[in-house]
Amino acid sequence: MPDASLLLELAEKGIIQIQQKAVAGKRATKVAALQGGKDNIAPYLRQRQKTAQNELTKKLAAKGLWAPFVYDRYLFTTLNEIYADKPLVPQPREISPQSLFAQADKRVDYLQKHFGAMEGADCLEIGCGRGETAVRLSERHSCRVTGVDAHPYPEWPDRQCDHVRFVEVDLTEQSPFSPESFDYIVSFAVLEHVQNPLAMLEVMFELLKPGGKIYLSANLYRGPMASHRYREVFFPWPHLLFEDAVFTRFYRERDGRQGVTPAWVNKLTHLHYLEKIHELGFEILKCTYSRRPFDEDFYQCFLEKLGRYPKGDLEKDFINLMIYKPI
């Protein structure tokens, strides 16, 4: 029997009428009536089923999986096995002091290229984490850096100095800083985890001096990496296909970890960011997107779910923005 999405398309064309109902937790499709004889529809069905086949659907079929899919642990683990030799992120970055400081140096190199000289400036880093970027920014540019985060880190006391300070605060709830306190504001892969990112953009506008600049990058919810579980989950968009309970069971059976789900990421698209930035009165100096190669076979295989989103959104992992507050 053809899959549900195909039957729906045929119904819309007036070729058949269908009715869908749930049976034992699985979706079954019942053909209620046919308009015209079998001969009219059979060639169309055969052609569509033929073109819908790709290497992924063949591998899944060999494991007893075909559309309409049940999005359970078996499908999850089967996809992970298929993608084990071509993971979404082939070489995830190590989480170690050396690796984090190397990443901080790359970030500061990028800021230097686009901001120019920052000596003597007052800088704010939103979502500073352990503080590596704040430390490197102060060391290499002789500027004063304030790092803020909603949660304190044990590394903070040893990394604070005359030119680096860390503050535990959620700026969307309260701000200990006076308006127009900072020449530069930076935020690296943090705004996606903020409960109210649009309010954070408002705070950033308020705290930035006229003529000041902001760099921010944010992971986008519809991107293939937004689950943040790419170290163990190798296929793209798992958070768009599977419920949290499937992740929890996968990790429990994989290594005994309890309660592991996709990381919480707000659902702003790149257009939400751009609209708010224009509304506040910022000028965009540069806007780019970080992407990974688009997996067309995967997209076509799970078009039932992934087709709900614009394809351009599914391609975008991060939005990277350089913005300016006019004088």
Side-chain angles (χ1 to χ4, degrees):
M1 179 178 289
D3 63 58
S5 61
L6 173 56
L7 291 171
L8 284 171
E9 179 181 336
L10 294 175
E12 291 172 357
K13 292 175 179 290
I15 299 174
I16 61 173
Q17 297 173 344
I18 65 171
Q19 179 182 6
Q20 287 189 306
K21 64 179 181 179
V23 177
K26 299 183 179 181
R27 288 168 300 118
T29 304
K30 177 182 178 182
V31 177
L34 291 175
Q35 295 179 348
K38 275 189 176 180
D39 291 342
N40 295 333
I41 189 174
Y44 183 80
L45 290 177
R46 285 197 298 269
Q47 181 60 29
R48 279 300 306 271
Q49 288 175 313
K50 180 179 179 181
T51 57
Q53 292 294 313
N54 57 46
E55 289 304 313
L56 178 57
T57 57
K58 293 175 183 177
K59 289 179 180 179
L60 290 173
K63 297 286 187 177
L65 294 163
W66 50 82
F69 294 105
V70 178
Y71 292 88
D72 58 8
R73 185 190 60 83
Y74 180 60
L75 177 59
F76 191 107
T77 55
T78 300
L79 284 170
N80 223 36
E81 291 169 1
I82 292 173
Y83 275 78
D85 62 348
K86 52 175 182 179
L88 181 64
V89 182
Q91 294 182 319
R93 178 175 52 83
E94 294 180 6
I95 304 299
S96 66
Q98 182 179 3
S99 174
L100 291 171
F101 272 111
Q103 180 189 57
D105 279 319
K106 290 181 180 179
R107 289 174 171 176
V108 174
D109 288 342
Y110 185 86
L111 294 175
Q112 182 176 7
K113 177 181 178 181
H114 291 89
F115 283 168
M118 300 172 65
E119 282 73 16
D122 290 300
C123 304
L124 174 67
E125 183 184 8
I126 295 176
C128 63
R130 297 171 178 84
E132 292 86 3
T133 300
V135 169
R136 284 291 190 258
L137 195 56
S138 174
E139 289 175 346
R140 293 177 52 183
H141 286 277
S142 301
C143 54
R144 295 176 293 275
V145 184
T146 300
V148 300
D149 207 293
H151 305 284
Y153 285 79
E155 292 86 355
W156 283 3
D158 291 337
R159 293 178 178 179
Q160 291 195 129
C161 61
D162 290 342
H163 290 87
V164 178
R165 61 172 174 163
F166 299 108
V167 180
E168 178 189 356
V169 64
D170 182 344
L171 292 177
T172 63
E173 295 182 356
Q174 61 178 340
S175 173
F177 311 116
S178 300
E180 301 181 358
S181 293
F182 298 98
D183 301 289
Y184 299 96
I185 298 176
V186 299
S187 182
F188 295 90
V190 170
L191 261 65
E192 65 266 23
H193 300 299
V194 174
Q195 293 279 349
N196 194 341
L198 300 181
M200 184 65 82
L201 288 172
E202 293 172 0
V203 172
M204 293 166 77
F205 186 88
E206 179 181 341
L207 294 180
L208 190 65
K209 296 177 182 179
K213 297 177 182 179
I214 293 175
Y215 174 78
L216 69 88
S217 65
N219 195 194
L220 298 168
Y221 176 76
R222 296 174 178 178
M225 290 175 58
S227 74
H228 288 58
R229 301 302 178 209
Y230 49 81
R231 296 176 188 277
E232 301 91 15
V233 181
F234 306 129
F235 57 91
W237 305 294
H239 58 297
L240 299 183
L241 298 183
F242 295 91
E243 299 291 337
D244 287 2
V246 178
F247 279 82
T248 299
R249 186 176 177 189
F250 167 77
Y251 276 95
R252 184 174 65 244
E253 296 182 358
R254 177 183 183 273
D255 53 25
R257 279 187 278 175
Q258 300 293 324
V260 180
T261 64
W264 190 89
V265 175
N266 63 55
K267 298 186 179 181
L268 262 62
T269 69
H270 67 114
L271 294 178
H272 289 126
Y273 283 103
L274 296 177
E275 181 180 19
K276 187 64 176 181
I277 284 167
H278 283 297
E279 175 191 315
L280 289 170
F282 283 114
E283 293 181 8
I284 296 178
L285 301 177
K286 185 175 183 180
C287 176
T288 62
Y289 298 98
S290 303
R291 296 178 171 89
R292 291 191 176 271
F294 190 78
D295 192 330
E296 185 68 30
D297 280 4
F298 194 98
Y299 174 76
Q300 291 297 333
C301 187
F302 298 104
L303 190 62
E304 173 198 20
K305 286 202 172 188
L306 297 179
R308 301 171 185 177
Y309 308 99
K311 196 170 181 179
D313 284 359
L314 295 172
E315 293 177 328
K316 296 179 176 68
D317 266 324
F318 283 85
I319 183 171
N320 312 295
L321 283 160
M322 193 79 65
I323 55 181
Y324 168 79
K325 182 176 180 179
I327 298 174

